[in-house]
């Protein structure tokens, strides 16, 4: 059932402006963060050829993600490009969705597969726009793309930036495109299939998080036990539920081009702001980890010198 909600044009415009100002306040532009500007050099041609394709099935999506991974693994820094971290995570989740489609637990396979395809199209479109140095690249994706070569950003945070952009920005757009093909939202039939993806995330979260974590992130993960897994399950459930609600609001605006554009701008800027907060928190963990590591190394060095001088120990 589609929810009818009044559109506050003035509130949306002021909120979009405020989010842009707040993002600039917490994350002023860093000179040199994008070597040579936007784009995918030295693999611009390969990326452009990839993004010129248009997937029709979830199998096509998996093949395109595999090609993207090979391209990104060659980009600087070798085998450590930050966008590659998200692409790898995205392949894992999509592969699990494809397996689910071949099973018996999906009620409407057409809906779930088309949603997956429309979802992927938004990612490849963002890759294309960045490759063409187009300023229309969504802010939510620009935050990750401009840090593709930034070794200060952990691979875990990079993967989470991609998840943030894809769910908080792209998912609502993918739902609208799917509804345009298959008809308006039918919560009672397709929503359980939508929630099935949550279950896939829940199952993959622990291994995915540990795949990309730094040493100190793993240490923290061990200290908090299952709390990280639980909190991230809650986060997935909340963000995907919000994406469905956003799609319903945008669906109601689909015939009003100006208001729809205002709403899309606000959604993009809100997603970008969340991304900047993710980067800020990642920087704190990395700085604390670096300080602890430096302290440990200094202690070991000093301790070794004392022992070398024959100083008593204990």
């Amino acid at each position: 059932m589609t929810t009818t909600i009044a559109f506050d044009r003035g509130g949306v415009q002021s909120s979009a402006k405020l989010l842009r100002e707040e993002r600039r306040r917490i994350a002023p532009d860093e000179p040199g963060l994008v070597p040579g500007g936007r784009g995918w050099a030295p693999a611009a041609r390969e990326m452009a050829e990839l993004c010129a394709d248009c997937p029709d099935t979830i199998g096509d999506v998996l093949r395109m993600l595999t090609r993207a991974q090979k391209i990104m693994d060659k980009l600087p820094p070798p085998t450590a490009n930050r966008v590659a971290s998200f692409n790898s995570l995205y392949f894992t989740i999509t592969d699990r969705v494809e397996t689910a489609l071949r099973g018996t637990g999906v009620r409407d396979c057409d809906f779930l597969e088309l949603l997956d395809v429309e979802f992927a199209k938004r990612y490849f479109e963002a890759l294309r726009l960045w490759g063409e140095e187009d300023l229309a690249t969504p802010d939510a994706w620009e935050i990750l793309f401009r840090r593709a070569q930034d070794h200060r950003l952990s691979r875990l945070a990079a993967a989470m930036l991609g998840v943030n952009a894809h769910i908080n920005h792209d998912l609502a757009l993918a739902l609208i495109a799917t509804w345009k093909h298959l008809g308006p939202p039918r919560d009672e039939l397709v929503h359980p299939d939508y929630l099935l993806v949550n279950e896939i995330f829940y199952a993959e979260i622990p291994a995915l998080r540990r795949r990309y974590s730094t040493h100190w992130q793993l240490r923290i993960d061990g200290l908090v036990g299952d709390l990280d897994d639980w909190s991230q399950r809650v986060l997935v459930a909340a963000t995907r539920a919000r994406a469905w609600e956003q799609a319903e609001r945008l669906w109601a605006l689909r015939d009003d081009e100006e208001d729809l554009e205002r709403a899309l701008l606000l959604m993009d800027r809100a997603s970008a702001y969340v991304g900047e907060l993710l980067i800020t928190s990642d920087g704190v963990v990395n700085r604390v980890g670096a300080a602890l590591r430096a302290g440990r190394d200094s202690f070991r060095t000093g301790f070794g010198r004392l022992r070398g001088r024959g100083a008593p120990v204990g």
Side-chain angles (χ1 to χ4, degrees):
M1 179 182 298
T2 303
T3 304
T4 302
I5 300 171
F7 185 72
D8 182 359
R9 184 177 297 113
V12 166
Q13 289 179 311
S14 61
S15 294
K17 180 180 179 181
L18 178 61
L19 284 166
R20 172 58 64 87
E21 293 171 351
E22 282 298 299
R23 182 186 165 198
R24 287 174 173 168
R25 183 183 64 80
I26 66 173
D29 290 339
E30 300 177 56
L33 192 60
V34 191
R38 298 167 180 253
W40 299 113
R45 180 179 59 81
E46 293 90 336
M47 190 67 83
E49 290 174 352
L50 167 69
C51 295
D53 287 347
C54 184
D56 293 316
T57 68
I58 195 169
D60 294 339
V61 172
L62 289 169
R63 284 188 287 275
M64 290 180 69
L65 289 173
T66 299
R67 287 172 59 192
Q69 196 70 37
K70 291 178 180 178
I71 294 170
M72 292 174 185
D73 283 343
K74 297 177 183 178
L75 293 172
T79 70
N81 185 276
R82 283 354 190 200
V83 183
S85 298
F86 166 72
N87 195 86
S88 173
L89 178 152
Y90 188 22
F91 178 91
T92 298
I93 298 299
T94 305
D95 188 53
R96 285 290 311 277
V97 174
E98 195 269 343
T99 300
L101 283 168
R102 290 188 277 108
T104 59
V106 178
R107 296 187 181 190
D108 189 335
C109 291
D110 290 342
F111 164 78
L112 190 57
E113 181 164 20
L114 182 56
L115 176 60
D116 193 278
V117 169
E118 292 294 340
F119 196 32
K121 286 179 181 178
R122 273 69 198 167
Y123 172 53
F124 293 120
E125 173 68 1
L127 292 175
R128 182 190 68 80
L129 289 169
W130 183 258
E132 295 176 359
E133 303 185 25
D134 193 325
L135 295 177
T137 305
D139 286 3
W141 281 112
E142 176 260 345
I143 288 178
L144 171 59
F145 294 164
R146 70 195 297 262
R147 291 174 171 82
Q149 301 178 32
D150 187 359
H151 64 85
R152 295 169 298 176
L153 182 71
S154 73
R155 295 173 67 235
L156 177 62
M160 291 303 99
L161 282 177
V163 170
N164 169 65
H166 212 26
I167 293 180
N168 285 328
H169 180 266
D170 294 352
L171 186 50
L173 300 176
L175 281 166
I176 291 171
T178 302
W179 292 336
K180 285 181 178 178
H181 283 289
L182 300 180
R186 296 165 294 155
D187 294 13
E188 69 285 352
L189 177 62
V190 300
H191 201 256
D193 292 338
Y194 182 77
L195 296 179
L196 177 64
V197 180
N198 290 15
E199 300 297 327
I200 292 173
F201 264 105
Y202 301 159
E204 295 294 333
I205 278 173
L208 286 170
R209 191 177 66 251
R210 286 155 197 149
R211 181 196 301 179
Y212 303 114
S213 293
T214 64
H215 169 74
W216 290 107
Q217 286 168 336
L218 287 172
R219 291 287 297 274
I220 293 172
D221 190 72
L223 289 172
V224 300
D226 294 334
L227 181 60
D228 273 357
D229 295 338
W230 174 82
S231 63
Q232 289 181 8
R233 285 196 295 268
V234 171
L235 184 61
V236 166
T239 53
R240 295 192 82 251
R242 182 171 176 272
W244 183 279
E245 293 171 358
Q246 281 183 320
E248 289 185 322
R249 289 178 170 86
L250 294 173
W251 179 257
L253 296 172
R254 65 190 182 281
D255 296 325
D256 189 326
E257 185 175 337
E258 291 186 2
D259 281 352
L260 180 61
E261 286 300 317
R262 293 185 180 96
L264 292 176
L265 178 63
L266 176 60
M267 184 173 70
D268 186 22
R269 290 188 176 176
S271 304
Y273 183 69
V274 171
E276 295 291 2
L277 294 177
L278 284 170
I279 292 171
T280 300
S281 62
D282 181 66
V284 170
V285 172
N286 289 340
R287 286 192 294 273
V288 170
L292 291 173
R293 185 165 55 248
R296 178 199 62 194
D297 292 344
S298 297
F299 176 79
R300 287 178 176 174
T301 300
F303 186 72
R305 288 173 180 169
L306 286 173
R307 293 191 64 177
R309 294 175 184 171
V313 178

